[in-house]
Amino acid sequence: MGASPFLEPIDHSESCIGQVEQMRENTQRTVSQKVPADVDPIARDELRRLAEVHGPCVSVYLPTTRFGPETLSGPTRLGHLIDHADKELQAGGASRSQAHDVLAPLRALLHDDAFWQHQGRGLALFAAPEVFAEYRTSMPLTEHVTVGEHFRIGPLVRELGHEGVFYILAISQNVVRLFEATGKTIRELPLGDIPASMEEAIPQEVPEFYDQSHSIGPGIQLFHGHGSEADYDKAALERFLRAVDHPLVHRLGGQTHPLVLACVGYYVAVYRAVSHYPMVWPDAVEGNPDRRSVAELHDAAWALVADHFAEPARRRLDRYRQAAGTGLALSRPEEVLAAARSGKVDTLLLGAETPGTVDDRVEEALVETLRHNGDVVAVEEGAGLEGGAGALLRY
């Protein structure tokens, strides 16, 4: 297999710790330059690349914590799982040297103190000959290790429910900020040519405003000229928001992901009227965004768009239920696996009933579906999928 952008080949002539750091940097660059807060976004294409790797493949899952003394137990637990994987690799026919090479990137993490201080709620690690990948997850994971012909990727599918990208434009007169986010991650983007404040956008507005008035007493200004103060303020606001929107549209390079505004309420209609961005979200995070933390902005914005990103999975589940009894929907794990092996599965639906681990037949069906360019979606609790999965067939 050729090296993919996120699965870097291991050069054994260099120190293993250095290789792991380089692979980690390359992984972050691949995911649209996202820098998540202790969570790594996972896209379907990455799962597909993992599915294409052939064994011996080692998959490690660990629950992790962000704070406190429990973070120190991570290396110890990982060490025990590595020892188990070492025995399994050699029992499967790998030499001691081959097993050592496969597990070397995992062992390097045992001594990476900074790595263990920046964790989400779960950690997934994948190692194979000349392949290594790591993901910090937003959901807790059941601790286990498997060695097989392919990676065990089922537990990661739940993370796909939060993969949709959206933007947050936090805008006030004092500060303009732009964020790229998913359901579980957020990072601030450099503004580029977008003005960072109203003063930067329209620097002549304040002097012009005072040129239109003169004092007629202590603290009293008489305005004259064309229009009222309110008219002037609205015109100035429109010029400010246009000055933000034009470079923003250029900055986002033709993207059509939802753009959620975070601003005082009366900005929203004005921005929507002047904007040329194709998907300004109809609802906004109202109030002064300067008073909200990044986490608060993210939570409030995600609440507005979450249903939008959940809708495709709901539609697939509806199609699956409608196809029941027609021969185009399967639920028994052995039937799902046979269809996946023959490339018949258009979409594999994975239920919430098995959040930690996945039935071996369903796990193999997941890998085969991805290898045959099928899709996989996680559906909500209560979907009632037999064996934790269901398949929509191509024919």
Side-chain angles (χ1 to χ4, degrees):
M1 171 185 166
S4 71
F6 85 117
L7 297 172
E8 290 292 325
I10 300 174
D11 180 358
H12 294 290
S13 65
E14 301 176 1
S15 74
C16 193
I17 292 178
Q19 294 170 64
V20 171
E21 289 299 325
Q22 184 62 50
M23 285 186 283
R24 189 176 300 148
E25 290 175 7
N26 290 341
T27 299
Q28 291 174 346
R29 285 197 296 270
T30 301
V31 190
S32 303
Q33 291 291 324
K34 291 181 179 67
V35 182
D38 299 337
V39 173
D40 297 306
I42 301 170
R44 282 174 174 77
D45 285 346
E46 292 175 72
L47 288 187
R48 185 166 284 110
R49 288 193 288 267
L50 283 170
E52 291 170 353
V53 179
H54 291 278
C57 295
V58 178
S59 307
V60 176
Y61 288 91
L62 279 172
T64 52
T65 57
R66 293 186 180 187
F67 310 106
E70 291 184 8
T71 59
L72 301 177
S73 68
T76 301
R77 298 200 313 273
L78 177 58
H80 292 321
L81 296 177
I82 291 172
D83 290 342
H84 180 81
D86 197 344
K87 294 176 183 177
E88 289 287 319
L89 284 168
Q90 294 189 53
S95 68
R96 179 178 297 181
S97 174
Q98 290 170 331
H100 178 273
D101 288 346
V102 169
L103 297 173
L106 298 177
R107 288 198 171 95
L109 297 178
L110 299 177
H111 311 289
D112 189 342
D113 293 338
F115 172 77
W116 294 103
Q117 294 298 320
H118 297 280
Q119 291 298 315
R121 300 179 66 191
L123 176 63
L125 303 169
F126 303 96
E130 299 192 345
V131 170
F132 175 70
E134 63 180 56
Y135 298 96
R136 299 166 298 173
T137 68
S138 63
M139 301 179 66
L141 297 170
T142 301
E143 181 172 323
H144 67 281
V145 58
T146 60
V147 177
E149 181 59 27
H150 55 77
F151 289 127
R152 191 175 188 89
I153 57 179
L156 290 184
V157 174
R158 277 257 150 251
E159 296 289 302
L160 293 177
H162 303 282
E163 68 175 326
V165 174
F166 64 101
Y167 299 110
I168 304 170
L169 177 63
I171 184 167
S172 70
Q173 291 188 23
N174 297 320
V175 181
V176 176
R177 292 177 293 166
L178 179 63
F179 300 91
E180 182 184 61
T182 67
K184 293 294 183 180
T185 67
I186 185 170
R187 75 160 186 129
E188 187 166 1
L189 297 175
L191 290 176
D193 293 332
I194 302 171
S197 66
M198 186 174 191
E199 183 178 5
E200 183 178 323
I202 47 175
Q204 301 303 315
E205 292 297 309
V206 172
E208 289 178 4
F209 178 83
Y210 284 109
D211 284 346
Q212 299 182 71
S213 66
H214 67 271
S215 176
I216 59 173
I220 302 174
Q221 295 285 328
L222 175 65
F223 291 85
H224 54 84
H226 300 287
S228 67
E229 178 182 0
D231 291 335
Y232 181 83
D233 285 349
K234 182 179 179 181
L237 178 60
E238 289 177 352
R239 286 191 284 274
F240 169 39
L241 298 182
R242 281 197 183 94
V244 169
D245 183 72
H246 180 72
L248 178 140
V249 172
H250 180 75
R251 170 73 177 78
L252 297 183
Q255 295 291 340
T256 57
H257 302 306
L259 175 67
V260 179
L261 300 177
C263 56
V264 293
Y266 65 89
Y267 277 30
V268 178
V270 179
Y271 189 89
R272 290 180 61 82
V274 304
S275 178
H276 288 87
Y277 188 76
M279 200 172 184
V280 179
W281 203 245
D283 300 315
V285 179
E286 295 193 14
N288 186 348
D290 301 350
R291 297 175 182 172
R292 294 178 184 256
S293 68
V294 172
E296 289 170 337
L297 287 172
H298 179 252
D299 289 345
W302 175 247
L304 299 177
V305 299
D307 282 348
H308 167 75
F309 290 113
E311 184 59 28
R314 284 197 291 263
R315 288 199 298 267
R316 300 287 183 88
L317 183 58
D318 287 343
R319 281 179 52 202
Y320 170 79
R321 288 169 172 163
Q322 292 167 6
T326 68
L328 293 177
L330 302 176
S331 61
R332 296 176 61 185
E334 60 273 20
E335 294 177 345
V336 171
L337 175 56
R341 284 173 172 167
S342 62
K344 293 181 180 180
V345 176
D346 173 80
T347 304
L348 184 71
L349 296 89
L350 201 64
E353 290 79 6
T354 53
T357 59
V358 177
D359 180 282
D360 286 344
R361 292 166 297 181
V362 174
E363 177 68 42
E364 186 178 347
L366 169 60
V367 170
E368 292 295 334
T369 297
L370 292 171
R371 285 178 176 171
H372 289 89
N373 294 315
D375 199 4
V376 56
V377 296
V379 296
E380 69 269 14
E381 287 186 53
L385 298 175
E386 180 183 343
L392 272 169
L393 303 187
R394 291 184 168 119
Y395 54 90

